[in-house]
Amino acid sequence: MRIGQGQRDAGGNRPGGSVVPLNEAYDTALLDLDGVVYAGGEAVPHAVESLGAARDGGMHLAYVTNNALRTPEEVAAHLTELGVPAEAGDVVTSAQAVARLIADDVPPGSRVLVVGGEGLRVALRERGLLPVESADDEPVAVVQGYGGPGMPWARFAEAAYAVGRGVPWYASNTDLTIPGARGIGPGNGAAVEVVRIATGGRAEPKVAGKPLPPMHRETVLRTGAKRPLVVGDRLDTDIEGAFNGGVDSLLVLTGVTDVAQLLAAAPEHRPTYVAADLRGLLVGQPEVVEDADGGFLCGGWRAAVSGGELVLEGAQAGAAEGAADVMDAVRALCGAAWSAADVPGAGVPDAGKVLARLGV
């Protein structure tokens, strides 16, 4: 059986293959939420039934999110309401990761200025720290987490006042954007930049969330996963976090990342597997094979680079109507694009024509 012959086993120049469904190959799915399970509060298409089938097949589902706004109890209740039964212990947030990071640096009972939502306050109290609201409350640390679209501007001012006075600064995560029902909005990373600009760039926050090690540590401690599969929609958080943690990953194309960005991914941003949505958990993936002429084969498609452009051969218009066929083409294209980009000085091949052909 060949599992995960992707970024770590094949030098990072092609996606991996698995002859068994992924929910059988891995004991735990570490699932991102925004853009993977739901967007704007509503379930992503195929998410509910796919997660139910994976769980019924024996896979443990854990939900790992950089969004620090809500408590694990609130997240679990929301998932359950959507039709994905979950308990608070199934949820790991960047608020929990940053609270542990702060608690490692300051004495118990320390005051921490909070710029964020209730999830951050609850996580700090869990670690024996006291959330405060003002820079004048003598905090020993400042922490920022996503506070939702209604976060008052005055909260950023309080953070800037404290950071400007030299108080150590922490951030749950630095995702610049967050997907929602109406599109892509500003995330906590944008709020962090507000404080950075206000303080003249003289300070840098310690960051806990994906892709950095504190979040991976928190996830392992709380889930006890032995053979985890990270599942996400972002290359620079979910996939890079898996890369940093030395575990396999599945990218789903239901959130932030599109195919063009995937094809241009740097080695640390290349997922082990690629799927259109969470139905990808329930199937294996065909292996991407390099042929003697430097092309890459997957599921009846052949991708190669010619004259600095990606080209695609194999299944024609009528044969490419199924999502699985198109995803096999995407996997073959990843092999061709990543292999070409790894040649020193070659750059990323142009994918415009081939992506227009596939309609992705």
Side-chain angles (χ1 to χ4, degrees), residues 23-58:
N23 66 309
E24 297 178 13
Y26 299 88
D27 71 334
T28 306
L30 305 181
L31 294 134
D32 184 44
L33 288 171
D34 292 301
V36 175
V37 180
Y38 53 65
E42 299 298 323
V44 167
H46 309 294
V48 173
E49 55 268 37
S50 297
L51 292 174
R55 183 182 58 249
D56 292 345

Side-chain angles (χ1 to χ4, degrees), residues 3-4 17-18 20-27 59 229 249-250 273-275 280-285:
I3 298 172
S18 175
V20 299
L22 299 186
N23 66 309
E24 297 178 13
Y26 299 88
D27 71 334
M59 190 178 219
L229 177 69
S249 60
L250 167 66
Y273 308 106
V274 183
L281 278 177
L282 308 177
V283 296
Q285 293 212 0

